[in-house]
Each structure stands twice: as structure tokens, then as C-alpha cells.
């Protein structure tokens, strides 16, 4: 498998519901480093998985509405614990749309999967990976 990976980051605030979260039940901030990996079995006629610039632009577009935002105030996340795992799936869903539509410089059907990794610190990260088809 071939992989192209792009990176960006967001700064958010949020809190969690449930005793399992301990002090994270209180409002706190986080800077998430987000890596998005686009996976294909083969390279295309240009020798690429996808266009890196388009992939980075797509990642920025998905992250922009989250950046510098208190996720507790976002209507789309009402009643949801916006854990790192949850946000990685949310970002995957946002990236899957342009990937499937062929907007990343390659026929979307030629891409196999996307993996989103969010590093919430230098010692902890979460991932969501799934096939596109």
C-alpha cells in the first residue's frame, strides 16, 4: 500500500460528561496535531497517490470550522463527548467526501482508505481508519 500523509493542527476547548473523564469533565483546551493519510494500492499514471497540495487544502477546510472553537457550544456536537476518537472520525467523514468525489487529483475509486490520527499530546493519540468504499 502507498500512503500520502498531510498534517495540520487545531486549537479547541471542550469538556466531557462522565466520571471516567476525571478532571477533563471541566472545560479545558487542547491543541490537536492532525495527520490525514490517504491510502492506495497503486500509484496513478503520474506516480502519485493523490496531490499533496489538494489533500492539505482539504484537511484545512475540514479543520477550519473547529479551530479556536468551544466544541461544547457547537450545535452539531450537542450531547456528544467530543473525545479525540470521536473527532478523528468526524475529520475522516469530512475528508472522505472530496476523496470519493475525485477532488484530490485522482479518481476516488482508486483510493482504498483514509486514516486520521490526532495527537493530543506528546504521549497520547487516537486514530480512525476505514475503507472509502
Amino acid at each position: 500500500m502507498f500512503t500520502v500523509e498531510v498534517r495540520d493542527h487545531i486549537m479547541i476547548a471542550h469538556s466531557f460528561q462522565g466520571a471516567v473523564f476525571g478532571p477533563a469533565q471541566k472545560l479545558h483546551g487542547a491543541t490537536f496535531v492532525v495527520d490525514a493519510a490517504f491510502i492506495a494500492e497503486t500509484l496513478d499514471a503520474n506516480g502519485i497517490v493523490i496531490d499533496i497540495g489538494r489533500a492539505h487544502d482539504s484537511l484545512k477546510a475540514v479543520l477550519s470550522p473547529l479551530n479556536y472553537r468551544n466544541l461544547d457550544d457547537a450545535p452539531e456536537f450537542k450531547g456528544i463527548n467530543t473525545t479525540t476518537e470521536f473527532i478523528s472520525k468526524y475529520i475522516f467523514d469530512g475528508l472522505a467526501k472530496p476523496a470519493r468525489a475525485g477532488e484530490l487529483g485522482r479518481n476516488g475509486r482508486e483510493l482504498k482508505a483514509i486514516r486520521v490520527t490526532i495527537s493530543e499530546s506528546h504521549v497520547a493519540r487516537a486514530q480512525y481508519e476505514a475503507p472509502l468504499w
Side-chain angles (χ1 to χ4, degrees):
M1 296 293 220
F2 293 93
T3 303
V4 163
E5 193 166 3
V6 293
R7 172 178 280 184
D8 208 332
H9 74 282
I10 53 174
M11 298 174 73
I12 58 99
H14 61 175
S15 61
F16 298 129
Q17 299 295 313
V20 69
F21 294 104
Q25 292 176 84
K26 296 179 183 177
L27 184 65
H28 61 281
T31 299
F32 291 150
V33 175
V34 181
D35 295 300
F38 300 84
I39 304 164
E41 289 181 348
T42 62
L43 300 178
D44 73 1
N46 298 304
I48 63 173
V49 173
I50 54 167
D51 180 86
I52 290 173
R54 291 182 191 187
H56 196 241
D57 288 346
S58 292
L59 179 58
K60 285 181 182 183
V62 172
L63 297 181
S64 180
L66 303 177
N67 203 20
Y68 292 104
R69 191 168 180 198
N70 180 348
L71 302 183
D72 294 351
D73 296 337
E76 65 267 36
F77 301 135
K78 186 157 182 66
I80 296 171
N81 279 328
T82 53
T83 62
T84 308
E85 297 90 333
F86 173 85
I87 296 297
S88 64
K89 170 70 164 69
Y90 177 86
I91 294 167
F92 169 92
D93 291 340
L95 292 172
K97 291 174 187 173
R100 289 180 179 127
E103 297 172 6
L104 302 180
R106 183 173 186 171
N107 181 324
R109 284 275 174 196
E110 296 176 5
L111 296 173
K112 295 299 176 191
I114 295 175
R115 178 181 59 247
V116 174
T117 304
I118 299 177
S119 298
E120 61 177 58
S121 75
H122 66 288
V123 297
R125 65 182 180 202
Q127 294 181 331
Y128 182 80
E129 180 176 344
L132 285 169
W133 307 101

